[in-house]
Each structure stands twice: as structure tokens, then as C-alpha cells.
Amino acid sequence: MQKDHYDRDELLDCGYGRMFGPGNARLPVPNMLMMDRVLKINSDGGKYGKGEMLAELDIHPDLWFFACHFPGDPVMPGCLGLDAMWQLVGFHLAWLGNPGRGRALGVGEVKFTGQVLPTAKKVTYHLDMKRVIARKLVLGIADGSVQVDGREIYTAKDLRVGLFTSTENF
């Protein structure tokens, strides 16, 4: 039976290839792992009934990106929140049992209406799977949002991730 939640150690196991097996999807490892836990993952929930994910990242003032983006005006890069959502779509595809390595393939629309500062406590990612194709082509499409301390600050529509058994000619 598949688990419906994962802690940081389990996410690190995924990153080091110990969760889905050799040649299959992995999450990044620190510093690029953009979540500390997956609170919920399913295959039939969410707005479209095709799956839903909820994950969190604890914010600490000493996180690596605050020192370099931007010195004297620290803020989490918006692209890291976007990457976290792509990470979750790929994780969902592998969690469903699909083979291959994950690659972000694009996004339809992204809106930023806020920021993550070092004074924040928690970032929450929420994704609703819109479509899952699991044939020769493995593709996931999702809508997502990012909240900081309960306030929505980013939205993304049509986040696309594919799983590829060979990435040599990608």
C-alpha cells in the first residue's frame, strides 16, 4: 500500500534513489530540495479528482538563498517555489508507479503576488493534478499554489512534468 505522507528523511531517500529504484524519479537533495515534508498525496482527490499533494518547507533565516538573493534585501527566489511545484508533480508520477526520470516541461501561467522573507515560518505547496498520462509517454499536468504563513503568494497553471526512461537526447 502506498503511503499518503512522507517526512524529510523519506524525501531524502527518494533523492538518493532509495525510494523508486535505479533509473527512476528522484527528488533533488539539499540545497535544491524545496520541501521538508509531504503532508498529503493521493491519486483521486483535489479539484479535478486526479490527485492532490500538500507539502511544506520550514523557513529559517540561514537558508542558503537568503544570503545571495539579494544581499541586504533577502528574499526566496520565486523560481524556487515554482521548482518545488515541479518537484511535487514528478514525485506524484513516480509515486503512482511510473518509471523514468523526471524533467520539468513547462508551465502555462505563473503569477507572483507576494514573497518569502527570512522572517517567515512556513511555505506550503498545494497541487491539484489535472491530467496524468501513463502510457509510452508519462506526463503529469497540475495547477498549484504557494502560501507563506497561510497567505497565497504564487499560483501556477498547467505545470508539466514528464518521466523519461532515457534522458540522453532530451
Side-chain angles (χ1 to χ4, degrees):
M1 183 170 157
Q2 294 169 308
K3 290 185 61 162
D4 64 358
H5 63 281
Y6 294 87
D7 64 24
R8 184 164 175 84
D9 288 338
E10 291 167 316
L11 298 177
L12 290 173
D13 280 345
C14 179
Y16 288 109
R18 296 186 290 260
M19 185 175 287
F20 301 122
N24 288 322
R26 295 179 178 197
L27 286 168
V29 296
N31 287 328
M32 285 303 298
L33 179 62
M34 296 308 303
M35 65 200 79
D36 290 313
R37 66 196 122 326
V38 173
L39 300 173
K40 180 194 316 187
I41 183 169
N42 61 55
S43 61
D44 57 0
K47 187 179 354 179
Y48 307 103
K50 308 239 179 187
E52 179 181 25
M53 290 156 289
L54 187 65
E56 293 178 335
L57 172 68
D58 296 326
I59 300 298
H60 307 283
D62 60 347
L63 284 168
W64 67 273
F65 45 78
F66 289 132
C68 57
H69 188 262
F70 300 97
D73 182 22
V75 61
M76 177 177 157
C79 61
L80 293 180
L82 181 60
D83 196 71
M85 291 188 278
W86 277 319
Q87 290 174 23
L88 282 163
V89 175
F91 184 80
H92 190 266
L93 292 173
W95 178 84
L96 289 170
N98 295 295
R101 294 182 173 109
R103 296 294 186 267
L105 298 176
V107 62
E109 178 181 289
V110 178
K111 291 183 181 177
F112 298 103
T113 57
Q115 60 187 345
V116 179
L117 300 174
T119 53
K121 299 296 179 217
K122 189 182 303 175
V123 169
T124 305
Y125 310 103
H126 181 251
L127 280 93
D128 291 302
M129 296 301 295
K130 291 174 85 169
R131 188 161 185 207
V132 175
I133 299 170
R135 296 188 289 268
K136 184 176 179 182
L137 167 70
V138 176
L139 176 71
I141 303 171
D143 289 346
S145 68
V146 177
Q147 294 183 348
V148 62
D149 296 335
R151 184 173 70 90
E152 186 175 86
I153 58 166
Y154 315 158
T155 58
K157 292 183 180 176
D158 298 327
L159 294 147
R160 293 181 302 280
V161 174
L163 295 186
F164 300 89
T165 53
S166 173
T167 57
E168 290 178 16
N169 296 317
F170 184 77

